[in-house]
Amino acid sequence: MAESAEFLFPLDKLKDLLNSNNSKYDIHESDLLSRNLRLRPLHKEDFSKGYLDLLAQHTKVGDVSAAKFAEQFQTMQAYKDIYYIVVIEDLAAHKIVATGTLEIEHKFIHSAALRGRIEDVVVDREASIKDYRYSQGNLAAVIMDVVTTMGKVLGCYKISLESEDNIIKFYEKFGYKVEPGQNYMAVRYRS
């Protein structure tokens, strides 16, 4: 996995963003590596490492072939500075075991600022695999720390996410709050 072009965004950009804000990146990286886990951007070969199976533990993925995955990956990669999908790979199992997405919106408001959205924070919950907790907390906490820090360093005036009621307390640990008077609404065109 040598070529940077094979990542959704450059690995060096991930390291630079996280190291520029006194984040816990070095702590996360060394602790993860000691557990044979690696934090990195999504890679074009992650289809074969169970990335979509991991997402399916969280939401309906549908029928996505390897070719469709590659096409979507290239589309997202072409929109530079919009999609930041990070994953944690179990290096021994060659399997993606955690992920989270930071999407960046370019706005006219707030002096043409950036707004971040956190999506698809998922940690593998398969009963047949080992517990992916480690000494600094669980992998969902690592993913949330990373995508939140990235949004802050990129200059987002606001980062939001949608949450089920039972995990609001988890997100509050990273500074997220339920804002009074704000409602999440959706219209769905596919089930």
Side-chain angles (χ1 to χ4, degrees), residues 11-76:
L11 179 59
D12 287 344
K13 185 169 187 172
L14 173 66
K15 291 180 180 181
D16 291 346
L17 286 169
L18 297 176
N19 287 328
S20 70
N21 193 48
N22 299 324
S23 80
K24 300 176 224 160
Y25 178 74
D26 289 332
I27 295 169
H28 291 325
E29 184 177 47
S30 63
D31 200 26
L32 289 170
L33 285 173
S34 74
R35 308 254 321 170
N36 214 19
L37 301 170
R38 181 177 181 215
L39 172 70
R40 60 172 173 76
L42 184 69
H43 189 273
K44 71 178 189 175
E45 298 300 324
D46 287 341
F47 177 88
S48 64
K49 294 184 178 185
Y51 177 70
L52 295 180
D53 295 330
L54 178 64
L55 288 179
Q57 293 180 30
H58 171 65
T59 191
K60 183 177 178 182
V61 172
D63 185 23
V64 180
S65 66
K68 185 64 178 173
F69 179 89
E71 178 185 330
Q72 188 76 336
F73 183 93
Q74 288 178 331
T75 299
M76 294 171 88

Side-chain angles (χ1 to χ4, degrees), residues 138-150:
N138 66 42
L139 297 186
V142 172
I143 292 291
M144 281 302 300
D145 182 53
V146 167
V147 293
T148 300
T149 299
M150 289 176 66

Side-chain angles (χ1 to χ4, degrees), residues 146-166:
V146 167
V147 293
T148 300
T149 299
M150 289 176 66
K152 179 180 177 185
V153 172
L154 288 167
C156 293
Y157 77 91
K158 171 170 83 171
I159 305 170
S160 63
L161 55 80
E162 299 159 11
S163 176
E164 296 171 3
D165 291 342
N166 63 331

Side-chain angles (χ1 to χ4, degrees), residues 62-127:
D63 185 23
V64 180
S65 66
K68 185 64 178 173
F69 179 89
E71 178 185 330
Q72 188 76 336
F73 183 93
Q74 288 178 331
T75 299
M76 294 171 88
Q77 192 178 45
Y79 288 101
K80 301 238 185 275
D81 303 323
I82 302 289
Y83 297 102
Y84 295 91
I85 301 175
V86 295
V87 299
I88 296 175
E89 178 183 359
D90 180 322
L91 297 171
H94 305 288
K95 181 178 182 178
I96 304 303
V97 296
T99 188
T101 300
L102 169 66
E103 293 177 19
I104 302 293
E105 296 176 28
H106 293 256
K107 310 291 271 185
F108 286 108
I109 61 174
H110 297 279
S111 301
L114 303 175
R115 178 183 188 267
R117 289 183 47 78
I118 305 292
E119 296 272 343
D120 303 327
V121 176
V122 187
V123 175
D124 198 327
R125 63 175 184 243
E126 226 177 79

